[in-house]
Amino acid sequence: MNKILVSIDGRSDEARDVVKLTLRRPDGDHLPGFTPGSHIDLFLPNGLTRQYSLVNDCRDPSRYEIAVSKAIASRGGSSCVHEQLRQGGLVEISAPRNNFALQPGHDTFQFIAGGIGITPILSMIRHCQSQGWKWNLLYLARTRAHAAFQDELLALGQERVRFHFDDEARALFDFSAPSFAVDPGVPIYCCGPTPVMNAVDRFSQGRPDNPAYFEWFSPPAEAVTRQPATDFKVKLQRSGQVYAVPESKSILEVLEENGYELSCSCREGMCRTCETTVLEGVPDHRDYVLSKGEREAGRTMMVCVSRARSEMLVLDL
Ligand code: FES
């Protein structure tokens, strides 16, 4: 993967435990373009790689803005951003990728953000504004102090934003309440912690007229109820090598053990970095990024988590 060196041109506190970074090329050149909902990999000084959504206006090629919430149980990513990335410093990033793109064919959108899940939604809202599309946002947060970008959102459309703060309401948001409705045909885009995503998933399942799209922070609960893994073989088209993938290992792990260096980042089926073309065989998709159509076509897979339904997969490697 080509890495891009950027300088941290700005750093500000956006909410409690949320810091915003502005990234630019040191020479002032333009950065690669992106579409609303895109994210970048941030290659952290402690060796970890983390994905963060771009929050700024995608029409501005001079900078990227990300916002990072310090996780209560940080595994080293968000804490490194908060403690080590300082204004004026340098850091490497990837070019943007988008697993959460606005689908064509609509001009009205319902957005639902939970906490720092506002980040991809904010760039989508900016895009809707620029296109003259209608949108509504339900923004859920633990407290008012934890909700980033409130002023910007209100400036973009005060009458379109509905906040819900758990502590003030003394309850989680109730998606079955009559006060929350989405018009038929309006797609729902949701990003937030797992409980919010699961609640929105349940809400949308009873509404086939409202297609729902999700950007997961971490694997959803469904991951624990999957079929047990079985062993299979992978053949690498370019070398003709065949490797056995035991039930205890991923394709990625087996290939790494055999000296291959594949691009990967999350290793959880969530970032699309390890996407690999399938030439023969039937993948058993266990990722969270492919669309229904891509799954059914079976021509591509995430080798960090997905497995095989056939005895052998032939990969374009
Ligand atoms: S490494 Fe992220 S999807 Fe495979």
Side-chain angles (χ1 to χ4, degrees):
M1 176 189 300
N2 289 334
K3 295 181 179 177
I4 303 168
L5 182 70
V6 291
S7 63
I8 301 166
D9 198 47
R11 176 181 163 128
S12 57
D13 293 326
E14 276 301 323
R16 183 175 299 165
D17 296 330
V18 177
V19 67
K20 183 176 87 174
L21 302 181
T22 301
L23 309 173
R24 298 182 195 269
R25 283 194 198 269
D27 59 9
D29 267 6
H30 285 179
L31 289 157
F34 68 98
T35 50
S38 294
H39 68 273
I40 55 170
D41 290 339
L42 195 59
F43 302 102
L44 295 167
N46 62 4
L48 294 175
T49 304
R50 290 290 185 265
Q51 291 75 42
Y52 296 107
S53 297
L54 298 174
V55 301
N56 56 303
D57 190 329
C58 61
R59 294 172 298 176
D60 179 359
S62 69
R63 69 199 160 115
Y64 294 153
E65 287 179 354
I66 59 172
V68 180
S69 173
K70 189 169 183 179
I72 296 168
S74 173
R75 292 179 294 154
S78 64
S79 60
C80 180
V81 172
H82 277 250
E83 290 157 19
Q84 295 191 39
L85 297 191
R86 299 285 166 216
Q87 183 154 354
L90 296 170
V91 67
E92 287 184 314
I93 62 171
S94 70
R97 296 190 302 279
N98 199 340
N99 302 328
F100 190 43
L102 289 170
Q103 300 301 308
H106 297 277
D107 60 7
T108 306
F109 299 86
Q110 173 68 54
F111 298 113
I112 301 174
I116 198 62
I118 191 62
T119 50
I121 302 285
L122 180 51
S123 77
M124 290 173 158
I125 289 174
R126 293 188 205 280
H127 186 66
C128 287
Q129 285 290 97
S130 72
Q131 300 297 308
W133 295 339
K134 296 192 199 108
W135 57 273
N136 284 290
L137 168 67
L138 172 63
Y139 188 1
L140 316 173
R142 278 184 286 158
T143 73
R144 196 174 289 271
H146 286 92
F149 303 111
Q150 291 178 52
D151 292 345
E152 280 189 79
L153 289 164
L154 291 173
L156 285 162
Q158 186 153 14
E159 68 294 348
R160 299 171 187 272
V161 182
R162 175 175 178 180
F163 293 106
H164 173 94
F165 302 116
D166 297 343
D167 66 333
E168 294 177 20
R170 301 189 180 202
L172 301 177
F173 186 79
D174 180 3
F175 283 90
S176 65
S179 63
F180 181 69
V182 183
D183 288 340
V186 173
I188 299 169
Y189 288 77
C190 176
C191 183
T194 300
V196 172
M197 304 282 263
N198 287 339
V200 175
D201 194 25
R202 285 193 295 275
F203 173 82
S204 66
Q205 277 177 12
R207 292 165 178 79
D209 275 355
N210 299 116
Y213 304 94
F214 298 91
E215 173 102 310
W216 293 91
F217 290 165
S218 55
E222 140 222 337
V224 296
T225 62
R226 286 202 172 119
Q227 293 293 318
T230 54
D231 52 1
F232 58 96
K233 292 191 176 75
V234 283
K235 179 176 177 181
L236 308 190
Q237 177 72 11
R238 294 173 212 170
S239 63
Q241 291 281 358
V242 176
Y243 298 102
V245 182
E247 60 186 51
S248 59
K249 291 185 179 167
S250 67
I251 299 174
L252 178 64
E253 289 169 331
V254 168
L255 296 184
E256 286 178 336
E257 284 173 6
N258 285 281
Y260 293 87
E261 288 185 16
L262 273 62
S263 295
C264 67
S265 178
C266 70
R267 293 176 175 267
E268 293 185 301
M270 305 185 62
C271 73
R272 213 163 179 148
T273 310
C274 68
E275 183 171 4
T276 302
T277 299
V278 180
L279 298 172
E280 288 177 37
V282 183
D284 175 8
H285 296 294
R286 296 177 176 226
D287 64 89
Y288 307 98
V289 289
L290 287 178
S291 67
K292 189 162 174 278
E294 288 172 316
R295 284 167 196 280
E296 287 169 359
R299 302 329 307 166
T300 187
M301 69 185 294
M302 304 307 136
V303 292
C304 63
V305 290
S306 294
R307 306 190 65 80
R309 291 189 194 283
S310 52
E311 286 184 12
M312 169 95 81
L313 289 175
V314 181
L315 302 180
D316 186 15
L317 288 172

